[in-house]
Amino acid sequence: MTLSNFTIRQKLIGLVLILALGIVTTSCLAFYFSYQDTRSGKQEQIRSIVQSATSQIILLNQRKRSLEISAEEFDTRLHDLIYSTAYGQHGYLYLLKNETQIYLHPKRSDLEGQYIGQLDSPVDSTLMLDGLKQLKEKTDKSHSWLVYWPKPNSQVPVAKLIYAQHIPDTDFILGTGVYIDDLLPLYIKRALSYLIITLTVLLASIAVALLISRNIVRPIINLSSQMEKLSEGDTDQTVRFTNHRDEIGQMARTLERFREYLIENKRLRYAQEHVQFLENFDPVTRLYNRRAMGESLEREIIRNSETQGQIYFLFIRLDLLRNLTIELGDEQRDQILIETANRLKGILSINHRLARLSEGCFGLMLINKPEETKVDDLIETILQAIECPIKLQNLHIQIVARIGVTSYPEDGDQQFELIGRSEIAAKTARKQEQSWLYFSQIKGQQVETKMELWQDLSTAIDEDQLYLVFQPLFDLNNNAALSAETLLRWNHPDLGPISPAVFVPLAEQSGLISRLDDWVLDAVAKQCRKWLNTDLVFPKIAINLSGISFLRSNFENKLHNIFKQYNVPLQHIELELTEGVLIEDLARIQDKLHRVRETGASISIDDFGTGYSSLSRIKNLPIDHIKIDKSFIDDLDVDTQDLKIVQAIILMAQGLQLKVVAEGVETELQLSILREAKCDIVQGYLLSRPLSVSDFEALIDEDLIIEGD
């Protein structure tokens, strides 16, 4: 069996086991040699002690022989030397005479004078005698050997390493020994140290080895699996480990490039197929799209042009689908469309052709309609099928549809005429609250766009389709948010967002402006009450007000009553009047402004400089701010004439103790120029766009300020 038959993981595990075995073997050998070194060291220690004592005894013997000391003094000093020498836990010296007679023994003085072979001891003294015999035969007259001998004050024999040396020119043998079990604590301590070190190194080595193994094996297994999936055409997976700098990273990057080639090839293939599909089909419902339906309808018109065969086209419009999309999301909307398409296909015959024309609109062409088939009955069946509740998760959604019907050749002989006019019929049916209408029923009616929008605006005011946004104004003295201008927005349920530049003039022309102003005042008061209830400290709120509403005789009472209803002090409010209000009788305007100011609200003049008045005209009016019209700010950084006008307005207004607001600031340069011109307050997209209620609250919480120069 060769190594190639094993997996990479198995090979790495084998290497880890060999590494562990090597570490354990090395540790065992190290402990064994340490044990031997310890024993040799102890042997060398007792040998050194014996030799040192032997030297002293030789010196004493020489002094005795030279008569420097007497024999009695020699014996005394010899006795003191032997008895005073001790080392270790049980280490001592003993002195033998005439080879086997115990002459001095500090631990067992009762044995002195006895012969070793005649001792009454629990051990056999043979080993001791054999050792002494070998000592006699040694040329250096020293020898070490192992005997079993009891420790002092004990009768239990234990292993003892003996070292003895014959003292020259005497019949003395000096000996000592070390008990082997005295070395046991040292051996155990050392063994534990070796064990701990071995385990630490072993575990660390295994951990590192496993980490390296994981770093190698897991990427290889993953890349191998990904290669197999790519070979099967699965390109959705993400190639990992491309950030590795080793060979694995190189493999991963190569695999990633291969995957990208496959994705690109698949994308090009799918794109080609998708383009071909989208040319004629709707991607959600898989029905014909408007283009394909138009072409099909055009072909049928040509085919029936000679026979004058009748063709009916039904424009099916789902009401409030846009609202459902906002509420539920695109995915749920698509489920509604798919379910509706399936229901329609289930009730149509082979001569009916169905298409999705736009977001919530279907088209149905009736080809070669049999005479006995009644269009009205078919329409009723379609409406009933659509209006059956659609189950979406835990919701049951009921859709209402409107249908407009056109026919060839009565309502047109072009496909766009039949489709467009059927759409007009469907929209008219909705406005007239009918389920369906034939275009022939509304021919000649003049549907005025402005009239429709006016009606929708009136409905929007009644049904609270309007909402407020807030654009902050910043004080250039401390760069903090000083106030916020309230702006009105309208999101038409069918047409989407309608610009205030469209519906505000329409409201003024149609007599709805007062209702619109009342709605804004009520909405602002309600919002301020919510902020006060949550203890949110908000800046002053500015409200754009039409001159028509402001000049009405009961305006002050209406303003007071609306804010009193929500218990909101008018000190929180600033009313913005356009400069056009000032063309009225000055005395009347002045009196009106005084009465409004007495309610607690402050007043500013908006769009100042557009030509209706001058600073001299407003110098005696009780107003707080003037707002320089945006048209002067737009070219402030390039038009010197606009710059001079702005500088003059600021200078004169401040001389009249009026604060100046520059609106429409959109560049850093404009802001810098206004700061140099000592403008008081700025407003514009550079600093903040109009904010929703939640975003404006977040800005207040953050104490947002503009950056100073």
Side-chain angles (χ1 to χ4, degrees):
M1 183 177 291
T2 62
L3 284 175
S4 59
N5 293 327
F6 295 95
T7 64
I8 293 177
R9 188 186 297 276
Q10 291 172 335
K11 293 174 184 177
L12 290 174
I13 291 175
L15 285 175
V16 172
L17 293 177
I18 293 172
L19 172 65
L21 181 61
I23 292 174
V24 172
T25 302
T26 302
S27 181
C28 291
L29 289 174
F31 177 72
Y32 172 76
F33 290 127
S34 174
Y35 168 79
Q36 295 296 329
D37 289 344
T38 301
R39 185 164 176 174
S40 299
K42 281 295 181 182
Q43 186 173 346
E44 184 62 29
Q45 181 187 19
I46 60 177
R47 175 178 170 277
S48 175
I49 292 171
V50 169
Q51 287 181 348
S52 176
T54 298
S55 299
Q56 296 182 53
I57 294 174
I58 292 173
L59 181 60
L60 287 175
N61 187 48
Q62 289 176 352
R63 296 180 67 186
K64 183 184 75 169
R65 291 176 63 184
S66 63
L67 302 178
E68 291 183 21
I69 59 174
S70 62
E72 292 78 5
E73 190 176 357
F74 172 79
D75 290 339
T76 300
R77 292 189 179 185
L78 183 61
H79 180 277
D80 293 342
L81 176 64
I82 298 302
Y83 270 74
S84 63
T85 304
Y87 60 92
Q89 186 177 1
H90 299 108
Y92 60 90
L93 294 175
Y94 58 85
L95 193 63
L96 302 181
K97 187 177 182 181
N98 299 324
E99 297 182 0
T100 61
Q101 183 185 17
I102 300 174
Y103 184 69
L104 291 173
H105 197 299
K107 300 295 183 180
R108 293 290 301 275
S109 58
D110 57 309
L111 298 179
E112 293 178 356
Q114 299 184 34
Y115 288 90
I116 293 176
Q118 300 174 353
L119 292 177
D120 183 13
S121 174
V123 297
D124 188 357
S125 59
T126 304
L127 293 175
M128 188 68 174
L129 294 174
D130 288 344
L132 292 172
K133 183 178 179 181
Q134 294 181 37
L135 172 64
K136 182 180 179 182
E137 297 173 353
K138 290 290 186 70
T139 57
D140 59 353
K141 300 303 181 181
S142 65
H143 180 54
S144 63
W145 69 97
L146 191 65
V147 300
Y148 289 91
W149 205 265
K151 291 184 177 181
N153 303 322
S154 175
Q155 296 296 317
V156 180
V158 295
K160 184 177 184 181
L161 181 63
I162 298 295
Y163 180 82
Q165 182 171 353
H166 180 266
I167 300 175
D169 300 327
T170 67
D171 54 358
F172 290 129
I173 296 176
L174 183 62
T176 188
V178 59
Y179 292 99
I180 300 300
D181 61 353
D182 286 344
L183 303 177
L184 187 59
L186 180 61
Y187 291 151
I188 292 175
K189 182 178 179 182
R190 188 162 295 178
L192 288 175
S193 298
Y194 273 99
L195 179 61
I196 292 173
I197 293 173
T198 301
L199 289 177
T200 302
V201 173
L202 185 62
L203 291 176
S205 301
I206 291 176
V208 172
L210 291 176
L211 182 63
I212 295 174
S213 171
R214 185 165 178 249
N215 185 262
I216 296 174
V217 172
R218 191 175 67 164
I220 290 178
I221 292 175
N222 183 272
L223 291 175
S224 176
S225 174
Q226 288 185 322
M227 280 189 259
E228 184 175 357
K229 290 179 180 179
L230 285 176
S231 67
E232 296 172 354
D234 181 8
T235 58
D236 293 334
Q237 55 188 320
T238 301
V239 178
R240 301 171 58 192
F241 314 109
T242 54
N243 59 336
H244 285 212
R245 298 183 178 274
D246 53 8
E247 290 81 358
I248 291 175
Q250 192 174 12
M251 291 171 55
R253 289 188 288 273
T254 302
L255 185 61
E256 175 65 17
R257 287 194 294 272
F258 177 66
R259 173 180 169 273
E260 290 173 355
Y261 294 149
L262 290 179
I263 291 175
E264 182 63 18
N265 290 337
K266 184 184 290 187
R267 187 191 67 80
L268 292 174
R269 186 173 66 254
Y270 285 171
Q272 184 179 5
E273 295 173 354
H274 191 60
V275 168
Q276 294 175 350
F277 175 81
L278 293 180
E279 286 179 354
N280 297 294
F281 295 93
D282 169 58
V284 176
T285 61
R286 303 287 173 172
L287 299 175
Y288 280 125
N289 58 21
R290 185 163 192 146
R291 173 179 175 274
M293 173 58 81
E295 292 177 350
S296 179
L297 183 56
E298 192 69 34
R299 287 194 297 269
E300 291 301 321
I301 291 173
I302 295 173
R303 191 170 67 85
N304 288 274
S305 60
E306 295 182 0
T307 62
Q308 293 295 302
Q310 199 168 30
I311 303 172
Y312 282 87
F313 187 84
L314 278 62
F315 188 95
I316 305 169
R317 187 173 186 270
L318 306 183
D319 284 354
L320 301 178
L321 186 64
R322 184 188 299 272
N323 300 58
L324 290 174
T325 302
I326 296 172
E327 184 71 24
L328 303 177
D330 292 343
E331 184 176 349
Q332 300 293 345
R333 178 219 39 213
D334 291 346
Q335 291 298 320
I336 293 174
L337 291 173
I338 292 171
E339 176 63 23
T340 303
N342 290 337
R343 291 180 181 182
L344 293 176
K345 288 188 289 186
I347 61 177
L348 302 179
S349 69
I350 193 171
N351 289 328
H352 301 159
R353 188 159 298 165
L354 184 65
R356 182 189 175 195
L357 304 180
S358 59
E359 181 179 7
C361 302
F362 294 89
L364 175 61
M365 179 172 61
L366 308 182
I367 307 171
N368 296 330
K369 182 186 72 67
E371 292 299 328
E372 63 274 11
T373 301
K374 294 184 178 180
V375 177
D376 291 1
D377 293 342
L378 178 60
I379 292 174
E380 286 286 357
T381 303
I382 290 173
L383 290 173
Q384 291 174 7
I386 293 175
E387 290 174 3
C388 288
I390 299 174
K391 185 176 181 181
L392 296 175
Q393 297 178 353
N394 297 326
L395 299 175
H396 287 79
I397 306 297
Q398 187 171 20
I399 302 296
V400 176
R402 312 287 179 176
I403 299 178
V405 186
T406 53
S407 64
Y408 168 84
E410 290 84 356
D411 298 326
D413 57 2
Q414 301 289 331
Q415 56 91 8
F416 62 86
E417 290 179 326
L418 295 178
I419 296 176
R421 289 170 179 175
S422 63
E423 183 175 3
I424 292 173
K427 288 183 177 180
T428 306
R430 179 178 181 274
K431 288 179 172 54
Q432 296 180 4
E433 298 185 357
Q434 298 186 46
S435 297
W436 81 87
L437 274 177
Y438 287 87
F439 181 75
S440 58
Q441 295 175 278
I442 60 172
K443 281 183 179 179
Q445 294 183 10
Q446 298 297 321
V447 181
E448 179 65 34
T449 303
K450 286 189 176 180
M451 185 64 67
E452 293 179 359
L453 196 60
W454 168 67
Q455 293 174 347
D456 290 345
L457 179 58
S458 179
T459 302
I461 296 173
D462 293 334
E463 297 180 357
D464 278 339
Q465 294 178 10
L466 307 172
Y467 64 95
L468 302 178
V469 295
F470 301 87
Q471 187 174 27
L473 283 75
F474 293 89
D475 188 342
L476 283 181
N477 291 323
N478 55 22
N479 295 336
L482 177 70
S483 61
E485 181 181 1
T486 303
L487 301 173
L488 188 60
R489 296 291 183 264
W490 178 23
N491 191 19
H492 193 284
D494 297 321
L495 304 177
I498 305 295
S499 171
V502 173
F503 70 81
V504 171
L506 177 63
E508 292 175 340
Q509 297 167 10
S510 60
L512 291 175
I513 192 64
S514 294
R515 290 181 58 196
L516 204 60
D517 285 338
D518 292 348
W519 188 95
V520 172
L521 291 171
D522 186 85
V524 171
K526 187 185 301 182
Q527 183 60 57
C528 289
R529 183 69 263 164
K530 291 180 181 178
W531 287 334
L532 291 171
N533 290 340
T534 59
D535 295 327
L536 180 69
V537 179
F538 56 93
K540 185 166 288 191
I541 304 301
I543 303 174
N544 285 298
L545 200 63
S546 71
I548 296 174
S549 296
F550 179 76
L551 294 174
R552 290 186 184 276
S553 59
N554 65 339
F555 174 74
E556 309 92 89
N557 294 332
K558 179 180 292 186
L559 178 67
H560 174 76
N561 293 335
I562 290 175
F563 281 84
K564 182 180 179 181
Q565 176 185 352
Y566 295 99
N567 193 23
V568 175
L570 279 166
Q571 285 76 10
H572 292 291
I573 302 303
E574 180 177 276
L575 301 178
E576 289 190 0
L577 305 174
T578 60
E579 191 183 11
V581 176
L582 303 182
I583 65 175
E584 295 288 331
D585 178 70
L586 189 59
R588 178 190 175 198
I589 290 296
Q590 190 172 13
D591 179 64
K592 188 74 170 180
L593 290 174
H594 276 295
R595 282 187 278 118
V596 171
R597 283 287 298 274
E598 288 174 357
T599 65
S602 56
I603 298 174
S604 65
I605 301 300
D606 198 7
D607 301 333
F608 187 82
T610 53
Y612 291 107
S613 65
S614 64
L615 282 168
S616 60
R617 183 173 175 82
I618 66 172
K619 65 180 180 179
N620 295 320
L621 296 180
I623 60 177
D624 300 277
H625 303 145
I626 61 171
K627 298 182 71 172
I628 302 175
D629 187 73
K630 182 179 181 298
S631 61
F632 295 103
I633 307 300
D634 288 340
D635 298 325
L636 185 65
D637 48 354
V638 294
D639 191 324
T640 56
Q641 186 175 2
D642 282 349
L643 175 59
K644 290 178 180 179
I645 292 173
V646 169
Q647 290 173 336
I649 292 175
I650 293 173
L651 184 62
M652 288 188 290
Q654 291 176 345
L656 295 173
Q657 305 301 314
L658 296 175
K659 296 286 186 180
V660 180
V661 181
E663 57 183 351
V665 179
E666 297 182 355
T667 69
E668 292 284 352
L669 183 55
Q670 291 172 353
L671 179 63
S672 178
I673 293 172
L674 290 169
R675 193 186 295 276
E676 291 178 0
K678 307 300 182 182
C679 182
D680 301 293
I681 305 166
V682 289
Q683 173 188 11
Y685 279 13
L686 172 66
L687 310 173
S688 175
R689 289 179 174 271
L691 303 174
S692 64
V693 173
S694 59
D695 289 340
F696 181 63
E697 290 172 349
L699 179 142
I700 297 173
D701 287 338
E702 293 172 356
D703 290 331
L704 187 65
I705 63 174
I706 60 175
E707 295 183 0
D709 289 338

